[in-house]
Amino acid sequence: MSLTDHLLARIAHDGPITVADYMTECLLHPTHGYYTTRDPLGTQGDFITAPEVSQMFGELIGLSLAQSWLNQGHPDHFVLAELGPGRGTLMADILRATRSVPGFHDAVEVLLLEASPTLQNLQAQTLKDYAPHWIDSVADLPESPLFLVANEFFDALPIRQFLRDGDSWRERLIGVEDGALAYGLGPRVPQIALKHRLDDTQNGDLVELCAAAIPIITVIAGRIGTHGGAGLIVDYGDWHSLGDTFQALKAHERAYPLAAPGQSDLTAHVDFEPLALAARAAGCAYTRLTPQGVFLERLGISTRAQALAAPLGGSELDTLVSAHRRLTHPDEMGNLFKVLGLYPSPSSPPPGLEP
Ligand code: SAH
């Protein structure tokens, strides 16, 4: 049975489903899911991420985390964790860049959270020198200092969408029309979780809610607040999103999200404010939301690019120059992508970010 047939049958049986249910089925269905069945990254895949653009991204993240570890008295055992590690490239770059930090590798335990067996296999190959372990949930993170990175993880978590109708909301649902998947709207409901959005929206506005992110941030922030550490959450989005950001990407092109379930990457912009508030409620401080380009420049990406460029010429040099531009320029990833840092309140924020 194809994923489309499975969804049509599910809707016929249960009625229209939420966008969140649709995302979960499309991305993580055990046999047809987008992430569960393939490696979607890179020029041959559907999209490319910052660590796949250049090693500089992971190196600078690694130095920021290692400096936080030093600033916090270099605990002799800590967890270095990544959520949604893709091909393992970012973690490999972090670990390579921190080899020269005395004691860091002796103290590190590498933990990965990855839903896709295909990508877990790739991560195992890329990171075989570092004996990583996989956890099934952030609840399995041990009670120890936690240094964590998540790049383009939260944008893959399922969101629900609500259209404002007076002082109530109607949920955008996915049902069936003429035998095909189609959008519709649920009944008017007050939605307590959206009460604060009545202040900054108007009738007819659409807002998004990512409920799945909150328990994840709560656990991470609890570990960092209690045991020390730092978190770097990098993603596209803003403090407060407004409007429909649900999108599908296939072969680097935008696609209609309902057209080919399980065949394209589905994401939504990350709303950072609820993450920051959940972190604070769990006892952890958060930094100002900072554009990726600013963050990388503060960490010295231009100096690093010059060092890497020195021996290069021709097309290799062109590739490096364009990677630097791609990661930092406001017209490319520099402004769309943001960084939110988490840290224990008595310490200083991770380098590259400010309170
Ligand atoms: N961080 C990587 C990959 C980003 S793609 C990079 O920057 O290149 C999103 C990653 O999150 C993939 O590894 C995907 O399989 C994983 N992922 C998506 N939803 C997940 C979930 N609910 N639980 C665990 N991993 C998930």
Side-chain angles (χ1 to χ4, degrees), residues 306-322:
Q306 275 161 11
L308 288 171
L312 302 181
S315 69
E316 285 178 333
L317 181 60
D318 293 345
T319 305
L320 179 75
V321 170
S322 82

Side-chain angles (χ1 to χ4, degrees), residues 41-283:
L41 290 145
T43 40
Q44 306 298 314
D46 292 309
F47 61 100
I48 188 154
T49 56
E52 302 297 333
V53 168
S54 166
Q55 68 187 73
M56 294 184 289
F57 182 77
E59 289 171 350
L60 295 170
I61 297 252
L63 294 179
S64 179
L65 292 176
Q67 188 60 51
S68 296
W69 175 74
L70 289 169
N71 292 347
Q72 292 177 34
H74 46 86
D76 58 11
H77 173 255
F78 70 94
V79 167
L80 177 64
E82 184 173 359
L83 309 181
R87 289 178 171 171
T89 309
L90 171 55
M91 185 54 87
D93 291 338
I94 291 174
L95 287 163
R96 197 188 54 257
T98 51
R99 248 189 327 223
S100 58
V101 180
F104 192 83
H105 279 219
D106 298 328
V108 72
E109 175 185 358
V110 178
L111 295 181
L112 308 171
L113 178 78
E114 172 56 64
S116 158
T118 308
L119 291 175
Q120 275 190 12
N121 282 333
L122 267 176
Q123 292 153 19
Q125 285 168 32
T126 312
L127 298 169
K128 57 182 181 316
D129 295 343
Y130 303 103
H133 290 279
W134 285 264
I135 51 174
D136 293 329
S137 145
V138 287
D140 299 336
L141 287 168
E143 298 286 345
S144 3
L146 172 64
F147 294 81
L148 175 138
V149 62
N151 185 60
E152 292 210 47
F153 168 77
F154 284 94
D155 66 28
L157 295 183
I159 53 134
R160 292 168 68 186
Q161 296 185 314
F162 297 90
L163 194 75
R164 180 156 174 192
D165 182 345
D167 283 349
S168 293
W169 302 87
R170 298 181 69 186
E171 183 158 13
R172 198 179 191 201
L173 298 173
I174 295 163
V176 179
E177 230 174 78
D178 300 328
L181 296 170
Y183 288 118
L185 285 174
R188 294 176 82 226
V189 261
Q191 283 303 343
I192 297 177
L194 291 174
K195 198 158 173 281
H196 66 295
R197 299 303 308 259
L198 291 175
D199 301 335
D200 70 340
T201 56
Q202 298 178 340
N203 209 18
D205 280 346
L206 186 142
V207 301
E208 298 175 334
L209 204 60
C210 182
I214 303 304
I216 296 175
I217 284 289
T218 301
V219 172
I220 292 167
R223 296 290 191 278
I224 294 173
T226 309
H227 304 286
L232 294 173
I233 318 272
V234 190
D235 228 307
Y236 58 128
D238 233 312
W239 189 241
H240 223 100
S241 79
L242 182 63
D244 178 13
T245 74
F246 182 43
Q247 70 167 38
L249 269 189
K250 190 169 168 56
H252 303 266
E253 301 282 339
R254 289 262 190 137
Y256 178 56
L258 306 189
Q263 306 289 312
S264 51
D265 185 40
L266 298 178
T267 59
H269 281 198
V270 173
D271 232 0
F272 283 95
E273 183 187 36
L275 305 188
L277 297 181
R280 187 167 64 192

